[in-house]
Structure formats: structure tokens, C-alpha cells
Amino acid sequence: MSPSALAQTAAALSDDASPSLIPPHGGVLKELYLPAGEAALLKQRSAGLPGIDLDTRQLCDLELLLNGAFSPLEGFLSQRDYDRVVAEYRLADGTLWPIPITLDVSEAFAERLVVGSEVALRDVQGVPIAVLEVDDIYRPDREHEAQQVFGTTDRAHPGVAELLDRYRPVNLGGRVRGIQPPSHYDFTTLRDTPRGLREWFVSQGWHRIVAFQTRNPMHRAHRELTLRAAQQVGAKLLLQPSVGRTKPGDIDHYTRVRCYQALLPQYPANSARLSLLPLAMRMGGPREALWHAIIRKNFGASHFIVGRDHAGPGNDSSGKPFYGPFDAQHLLERHQDELGIRIVPFPAMVYAANRDAYLPSNEIEPSDEVRDISGTQLRRHLQEGSEIPSWFSFPEVEKILRERHPAQAARGFALFFTGLSGAGKSTIAQAVVAQLLERSSRAVTVLDGDEVRKHLSRGLGFSREDRDANVTRIGYVASEIVRHGGVAVCAPIAPYANARADARSLVEAHGDFIEIHVATALEVCEARDRKGLYAQARAGAIAHFTGISDPYEEPGQPELRIDGNGGDPLVLARQVVSLLEQRGLLRG
């Protein structure tokens, strides 16, 4: 869509010629919590049921199922619903729904269940949140799902990487019955349910509400965009950032929410409301934008702002954007009447220095002096402590960001070596550690596979589940090291992609994760085997031996792939150090 067409569409929305298309305060909610008495009985009974400790994505999905934000869903998708959502972004009954909401489990867990089973769904502390009534057990084609839902199988897309590397192979479908909401101890006054927010709108006399989705701190351009959009349609503003899970590497939600709170006084009194959304984003571009609109309708919004490249994850492995800048706007406009929420398409806001004003990009003249600061440039300003132009952000927001990212502070990172036994991981890791200590005073901790097995993972065997647990433990310890600005050097075999992805997720919550595949041929590894482990494995004396009786899933897109078949370990280590220098990770 051209900028002029965008402007015409948005202008037409201000007239709101079809108000009947907007259900008052979002339409019917399907809340799935049981009455208190029934919930107490189910909680007691859930202790005897097979159970799952949900990961972050699953817990976010469950919370939004239970409170009605995912209405009309009543649980995790059955295969009939899943197949049609993947193919046509509709449920089996034809209802518009673009993102598969599925509960993935391991083969071993699924084998314990039959249709009609009940499963306790618990948080990370083991607290029961709901019970799933299983009405379907199926094994989806993840590659097909990635291609249909995200339009790609490129693991540079974070949603694809998670789907292919972290989702478990079996889906459970069925209705959920809520026992209690997940616990949140942060920003409790900002965590509204759909019903609670709708009731607040009514109490304040807000009838037209335009919602804005965000996952990054907001600066002056965002404030101008949201103000103009609200004024254009004569609505109040709902700022509803995603705080469940966003793109790896994003600023933590605590810092972001503090920035939003600091920004609120920049809006006219009684014109904007901040409310947090515990959504696990998939970064799915157009489909995700459609999903966001449905969710905001359920929270009571009458309008939804769709910006340029809404929910886009950036560029693919070849450097090209995954989605076109206006693909999301096109998709939502085609379904606007059916959605029941009006779309406010908006171009990017840019700063014209000669006018000292932010303007929509479609209003910029050739003579205007356009200025901008990219996310990379902002991070550089914060890192260096250099001045951030006053036209870019607000002093209150800048102060919070500088507190979170003090100048010259060293950013923590983890080097995660993976490869077959005998590939050379530990030797190269030792050479890298020596190079790091030679160049800086950074604190470096080595988490070698054998040492971890001896101390951190004593008692674990070599089944897939135990191997995954070992790698997850390494990822957790590495994440704590990285969180405090340290360097973690990890060198396990880590044969399975899903466990490596779990470790990456843990670390990237606090810093950088550098996966290094030491690619060494199996015959070379066997020739190096001083302990005779490969020979024992081939003779059947050692079970579950990677490369012989168990598979090794090679990383699809590691940050670095090293030829471990020969070469001086010091030369190979310099490849790693060179990559760290390119990424600016060796300061300090």
C-alpha cells in the first residue's frame, strides 16, 4: 500500500461509517476458570494426575486462554483446528484465528495418555494452574507449520528456530479448566484481565479505545504516532506492551515497563492507559498482527494501530526482510469487517530537523532534513556514554535506559561449543580461554562437559531426557554468569537441537549466546579416542553413545562452524576471538 493510500484509509476510519461492526467492549469473553469450590476440588485431585511443568511460552498461552484473551478458544487446538489454522488461519468451524495455540509434549509423556486422560498443567514451581481434558493426541509436521505460518523455514526467524528446535514432537489438544491464575509479583496494578480492563473502560466512560502493541521502549516518535492515531479516530489510547516473551536480545520487560511509566505523563491527562499483556510473541509478521488485533478486541479496544512491518523479526539469512513493510496492514484490512475491531494503519514517524517536528513518512518533502537513530546506534550511544539527541527520546526514558545499560559496562556472553565426542571442543575452548585472559581482565568460567557431569549433573544418565537436562543445567548456570557480565565457556556434546535452543533462550535473556559447532568427521573422532569409548560403543558395551547408537543433530545455523578435522587449536581459537571482536564483546 502506498503512503497516500494509507493516509486515505486512516482518514476514512476517523469517520467510522460502520460503528455497528465494533462489538461494544470487544464482544463475548470465554473465561475458563472454575468457580472457587470446584477449583479447590480440582486442585486437590490434580496432585494424582500426570502433569507438565509448562515452559514460558506454554504458561503465557495458558494464562491468556484462561482469562479470555484468546476467546473464542477454550483450550489447546485439536488436530482439526490446528490443520485449518495452519492452512487458512481459521478454526475448523471457520472462525478467524491465525496462530496455532498448541501444547507440545515429549513422545514419552504422550505414550502415557489416551483420549479422555486428564493432565495437570503446572507453573515452573509446580503449582497447578489448570487441568487439560485430552481429546486429541497428534504429531504435527513442524516444517510444514513453519512454512505455512511464518512463510519460511529459515532459522534466522526466531519463531521458526523455536518451532523446529524447541517444540516437542507431540501435540495434546483439549479443553482446559482453570484452577488459579499464574502468579505475578511485578507491576501487579498493571496486569489487567480482559474483563477487568473492559469494566475499567466503562467506569471511566471510555467508549472508543485505540490499542498500541509494543515490545521495545517508546521514544518521541512512538509518542507522536500514538497521539496522532488516537486523535485521528477520536479515541482514548491503550498502551499494551507484550511482557510475556518477545524477541531474543530485547531489553528486559522490567526496564521497558519503567520506560512506559516514565512516558505516560507525556500524554494529555485521562487520555492513555498502560496495561501489560503476558503474551509469548512468535514474531509472525502479518499473521501475528491479525492475532494481536483479536486479542485487543477481547480486551475491549475498538481500534488497533498497525504500523510498518508489524511484529516482523527483521532479516533472513540472506539479509532480506522476512515480510514486506505493509503486508500486515494488507492482511488486516482484508479481514477488518470480520475481525470486529477497526484497523488504524499508520506509516513510520520520522524527524524533520528543519521543521523540528515528527511527521508521518508520507508527509515528508524532498527538502526536509530527515534524521533517525537505529536500535544499533542507540545501543552504541548507551555503551559509549555519548549524547543522545534530545529530539529522539525523553530525558526520563533515557535515564532509565542508561541505568540499565551503564556506559562502558562489559556485556556478558556465553560461548557454547558443541560437537561429537573427540571433536576437539575442550581443546579449542581451552585455547579460547587463554586468548581471552591474555587480552582482558574479564571473568571467565569454563563449563566443560566432563566436569559438569562430575559435579553439576551427577546422577544423570545418557537417555535423551537426561542429556537434555544436562544441557539445560549448563544453560542455566551460563545464564547466571552472563547476567552478571561474565563470560561462560561451555563445551558439552549437546547432541539435540531442542536442548541447545533451551540453553540459548536462557542465556539470551541476559546477554549473547555464541553457538560454535566443531565439525569433525566421525572417523577422525574415533581415531582420536584414547579411552576406547567408540570401540566399546560399537561392540555394544556402551549404550546411547552419540554418533554410534544415538544421533547428533548438527546445528543448522550456528554463529560459527569450525573445521575440527585438523589444524592448530590456537589458529581455530583465533576464529572465535575474531568473531567476538567483530561483535564488540571484548571490551573490558
Side-chain angles (χ1 to χ4, degrees), residues 13-178:
L13 288 173
S14 64
D15 296 332
D16 198 16
S18 304
S20 61
L21 296 174
I22 305 171
H25 303 292
V28 177
L29 280 179
K30 290 193 174 181
E31 296 174 315
L32 306 177
Y33 288 108
L34 293 174
E38 293 179 39
L41 292 174
L42 185 59
K43 180 178 181 179
Q44 185 177 22
R45 192 162 62 80
S46 71
L49 299 176
I52 303 171
D53 291 347
L54 303 178
D55 62 27
T56 302
R57 168 182 50 83
Q58 294 169 332
L59 189 60
C60 287
D61 286 353
L62 179 60
E63 180 171 1
L64 296 181
L65 281 169
L66 294 175
N67 69 20
F70 281 177
S71 294
L73 301 190
E74 296 185 9
F76 294 99
L77 298 186
S78 66
Q79 185 163 12
R80 287 182 65 248
D81 284 323
Y82 166 85
D83 286 344
R84 192 165 181 194
V85 167
V86 168
E88 306 174 46
Y89 41 87
R90 292 184 182 278
L91 301 174
D93 66 4
T95 302
L96 196 63
W97 189 269
I99 298 293
I101 305 300
T102 56
L103 182 65
D104 55 299
V105 299
S106 67
E107 288 276 8
F109 186 80
E111 288 172 359
R112 299 164 54 191
L113 307 175
V114 295
V115 171
S117 296
E118 292 182 308
V119 177
L121 305 180
R122 304 180 297 234
D123 68 11
V124 293
Q125 304 298 326
V127 176
I129 303 300
V131 168
L132 169 71
E133 300 171 344
V134 179
D135 66 20
D136 208 353
I137 303 170
Y138 59 103
R139 290 157 181 77
D141 182 339
R142 300 294 187 203
E143 293 273 349
H144 177 71
E145 180 180 343
Q147 187 62 55
Q148 291 296 111
V149 174
F150 298 110
T152 181
T153 57
D154 186 344
R155 283 178 168 81
H157 189 302
V160 171
E162 181 182 39
L163 180 65
L164 299 184
D165 295 337
R166 293 188 64 195
Y167 277 48
R168 298 158 191 87
V170 183
N171 284 353
L172 304 181
R175 179 172 171 264
V176 294
R177 291 176 292 161

Side-chain angles (χ1 to χ4, degrees), residues 432 435 439 569-579:
V432 169
Q435 289 285 295
R439 292 162 182 256
L570 184 58
V571 174
L572 299 177
R574 285 173 181 155
Q575 294 181 33
V576 179
V577 173
S578 177
L579 176 62

Side-chain angles (χ1 to χ4, degrees), residues 240-558:
Q240 197 174 40
S242 293
V243 297
R245 195 192 57 189
T246 58
K247 185 179 177 182
D250 281 352
I251 291 173
D252 65 277
H253 84 269
Y254 299 100
T255 302
R256 287 186 281 121
V257 174
R258 291 176 60 214
C259 289
Y260 302 134
Q261 290 174 316
L263 182 73
L264 275 182
Q266 301 297 331
Y267 290 95
N270 194 38
S271 69
R273 167 72 184 244
L274 175 64
S275 182
L276 309 186
L277 180 68
L279 178 72
M281 292 184 66
R282 273 66 162 179
M283 304 305 299
R287 280 197 186 229
E288 179 126 355
L290 192 62
W291 189 39
H292 290 173
I294 293 169
I295 293 167
R296 272 34 183 246
K297 177 190 72 174
N298 287 329
F299 273 93
S302 57
H303 295 70
F304 182 57
I305 300 170
V306 184
R308 189 179 186 276
D309 193 25
H310 187 108
N315 295 335
D316 63 18
S317 296
S318 65
K320 297 179 181 179
F322 279 104
Y323 309 113
F326 303 115
D327 286 356
Q329 294 177 354
H330 294 326
L331 179 63
L332 269 72
E333 285 165 351
R334 290 201 301 271
H335 296 284
Q336 181 168 252
D337 290 352
E338 185 179 5
L339 273 172
I341 185 171
R342 304 305 299 272
I343 305 307
V344 185
F346 225 91
M349 298 294 293
V350 297
Y351 180 70
N354 54 307
R355 302 198 223 179
D356 189 25
Y358 274 95
L359 301 169
S361 57
N362 58 325
E363 295 181 16
I364 291 295
E365 302 291 342
S367 59
D368 285 326
E369 301 172 22
V370 176
R371 295 181 185 172
D372 190 21
I373 292 180
S374 67
T376 300
Q377 290 170 321
L378 175 60
R379 287 190 292 273
R380 186 179 302 122
H381 281 301
L382 295 172
Q383 173 70 32
E384 297 172 350
S386 53
E387 181 181 359
I388 297 173
S390 59
W391 54 262
F392 176 76
S393 193
F394 296 96
E396 300 88 345
V397 173
E398 181 182 338
K399 178 177 181 291
I400 293 168
L401 292 176
R402 289 197 185 277
E403 288 174 353
R404 179 64 180 84
H405 300 280
Q408 306 303 321
R411 180 173 172 83
F413 63 90
L415 298 177
F416 193 94
F417 291 85
T418 175
L420 295 170
S421 176
K425 303 181 298 298
S426 296
T427 302
I428 299 169
Q430 289 170 6
V432 169
V433 170
Q435 289 285 295
L436 293 178
L437 295 177
E438 181 181 310
R439 292 162 182 256
S440 76
S441 57
R442 298 289 295 273
V444 180
T445 302
V446 178
L447 299 171
D448 184 73
D450 289 340
E451 291 300 309
V452 167
R453 280 279 180 181
K454 186 185 300 182
H455 301 292
L456 184 63
S457 294
R458 178 178 294 177
L460 289 181
F462 291 89
S463 66
R464 176 161 189 152
E465 290 74 16
D466 281 359
R467 285 179 180 271
D468 286 352
N470 178 56
V471 172
T472 300
R473 290 180 187 182
I474 292 172
Y476 173 74
V477 174
S479 73
E480 289 297 294
I481 294 166
V482 169
R483 184 163 70 94
H484 294 287
V487 178
V489 179
C490 316
I493 294 173
Y496 301 117
N498 67 300
R500 296 195 300 264
D502 284 340
R504 177 184 292 274
S505 179
L506 289 166
V507 169
E508 286 186 335
H510 307 293
D512 291 74
F513 184 91
I514 310 295
E515 184 177 42
I516 303 162
H517 176 211
V518 182
T520 306
L522 179 61
E523 57 270 21
V524 174
C525 294
E526 289 196 67
R528 293 175 179 171
D529 183 18
R530 291 173 295 183
K531 299 178 182 178
L533 298 178
Y534 278 98
Q536 294 179 58
R538 288 195 180 280
I542 300 178
H544 302 296
F545 196 88
T546 302
I548 304 300
S549 51
D550 269 10
Y552 177 77
E553 299 171 0
E554 288 196 0
Q557 292 177 320

